[in-house]
Amino acid sequence: MGLTTLCYIEKENKYLMLHRIVKKHDVNKDKWIGVGGHFEHGESPEDCMFREVKEETGLVPVQYRLCGVVTFLSDMGTEKEAWEYMFLYHITDYKGTMKECDEGVLEWIPKKDLLNLELWEGDRLFLRYMDERAPFFSLKLTYVEGNLMAAVLDGKELEFFDLLNEKGEKTGRIKERSLVHEDGDPHGTSHIWVVRRTEKGYDVLLQKRSANKDSFPGCYDISSAGHVAAGDEYLETAVREMQEELGISAAAEDLKQIGVHDGIINGNFYGREFRNHEISAVYVYDKPVEIEALSLQKEEVEEVIWMDYETCLEKMEKGEIKHCIFQDEFEMLGEYLGEIPGN
């Protein structure tokens, strides 16, 4: 087990980054990281932080905060590096004159350009928490052959998705949810349209997304939808999401797949860029549903309403409804409903 510090020095909206290109046998070879290193005997985290910053940069921290503790599990590097506790520091004021570093090349990098660097995926997570000044956090990261395979934030497992190719096939790689949406990686989702026949045609059940959602808060959306977690499949995801979001206990055979939708939508929510490329299995559920009997997942769904299909399409085209529905998918649904015998 190893104990280390990692320190990010900030000035003028830039971080001092170390490009690790010097050492031959370096688990961080060619990566960009902060400065820091292993504890020496008897050192506290602050002792180690002050010493490592001085040795690697020539600078002396003046104003700083301990942001969190990161636990690393890895099959890479030395035995000490296979299980490591790292204390993360954010330094906002310092004194002294910067010198060259024998660990690599030091460079001031604008924050907006960090994602252009070769970073560890887990570093992208704790850099975000640090930059957003999240409360003191504990983050556990598990790497296998250099790939981030699991992450736990303050005891809560973070979601991972299978990355897909342009054909919708699994690539064999997985990635944490927020990173997928930063990078715009193709990933799987299940979309379920709940419908009911009326004298005019069909109503569709729309859910209004919770105001606390990380994307498209307060927008009307598909009846039920959800990401396909790493290792899961579309149909089991659809069944699970209907139960969790709406309280509908549907059997797999109750869902009719009507197509696959490839959708890209970008936005900016809570100051963070959101790039979404989802390849979705689209299902229809037409068993009887009474809104009053539904059990809504309040963290996800604010309310649900029935709306006539044609009315909904018209409102979407005229911009009279705040929504995040792919119109071409909605039209796919309309084509299917029009083909049902008796219409």
Side-chain angles (χ1 to χ4, degrees), residues 52-161:
E52 287 288 344
V53 170
K54 178 66 174 178
E55 290 178 357
E56 294 189 355
T57 72
L59 304 176
V60 177
V62 173
Q63 188 170 354
Y64 57 88
R65 68 185 178 100
L66 176 57
C67 303
V69 176
V70 182
T71 304
F72 289 97
L73 297 178
S74 174
D75 60 353
M76 304 175 296
T78 65
E79 183 177 347
K80 184 185 293 186
E81 291 166 328
W83 175 16
E84 177 178 302
Y85 292 120
M86 183 268 284
F87 293 79
L88 177 67
Y89 284 91
H90 182 202
I91 299 168
T92 53
D93 193 18
Y94 56 87
K95 61 184 180 181
T97 302
M98 196 165 77
K99 67 172 187 176
E100 291 186 357
C101 178
D102 59 8
E103 300 277 343
V105 177
L106 292 168
E107 186 175 343
W108 291 102
I109 304 293
K111 290 183 184 180
K112 63 181 180 61
D113 295 333
L114 284 181
L115 294 186
N116 298 328
L117 304 179
E118 186 69 23
L119 304 175
W120 292 107
E121 286 187 3
D123 291 19
R124 292 173 57 183
L125 293 176
F126 62 66
L127 276 168
R128 185 197 310 141
Y129 307 148
M130 182 183 78
D131 191 51
E132 293 176 349
R133 298 191 68 85
F136 186 89
F137 60 87
S138 172
L139 179 66
K140 180 179 180 181
L141 303 171
T142 301
Y143 284 91
V144 177
E145 296 181 353
N147 297 311
L148 183 63
M149 302 301 290
V152 182
L153 177 63
D154 294 331
K156 181 180 178 181
E157 291 188 15
L158 301 184
E159 290 183 88
F160 277 70
F161 303 151

Side-chain angles (χ1 to χ4, degrees), residues 166 260-264 277-280 326 328:
E166 296 298 329
V260 174
H261 182 263
D262 190 336
I264 297 175
H277 183 179
E278 56 184 52
I279 299 176
S280 309
F326 291 104
D328 56 340

Side-chain angles (χ1 to χ4, degrees), residues 216-321:
F216 304 102
C219 289
Y220 282 101
D221 201 356
I222 301 158
S223 311
S224 180
H227 290 93
V228 180
D232 288 352
E233 302 299 334
Y234 285 108
L235 185 55
E236 65 177 306
T237 298
V239 171
R240 182 188 68 241
E241 290 297 328
M242 289 190 70
Q243 178 65 56
E244 291 180 354
E245 291 188 346
L246 304 177
I248 296 177
S249 299
E253 56 268 23
D254 294 334
L255 300 177
K256 167 68 175 179
Q257 184 172 353
I258 63 170
V260 174
H261 182 263
D262 190 336
I264 297 175
I265 187 167
N266 300 323
N268 191 292
F269 304 98
Y270 308 106
R272 186 187 306 165
E273 187 175 4
F274 179 85
R275 301 169 58 207
N276 188 37
H277 183 179
E278 56 184 52
I279 299 176
S280 309
V282 183
Y283 298 94
V284 169
Y285 179 82
D286 61 3
K287 299 292 184 182
V289 170
E290 297 294 334
I291 286 181
E292 298 76 11
L294 297 179
S295 177
L296 304 184
Q297 186 180 18
K298 294 302 182 182
E299 299 83 2
E300 301 285 333
V301 185
E302 184 176 316
E303 66 173 5
V304 293
I305 61 171
W306 287 111
M307 187 177 294
D308 173 68
Y309 175 86
E310 296 296 339
T311 300
C312 185
L313 180 59
E314 182 179 355
K315 286 182 177 291
M316 289 168 60
E317 292 173 338
K318 292 182 177 180
E320 295 177 350
I321 182 173

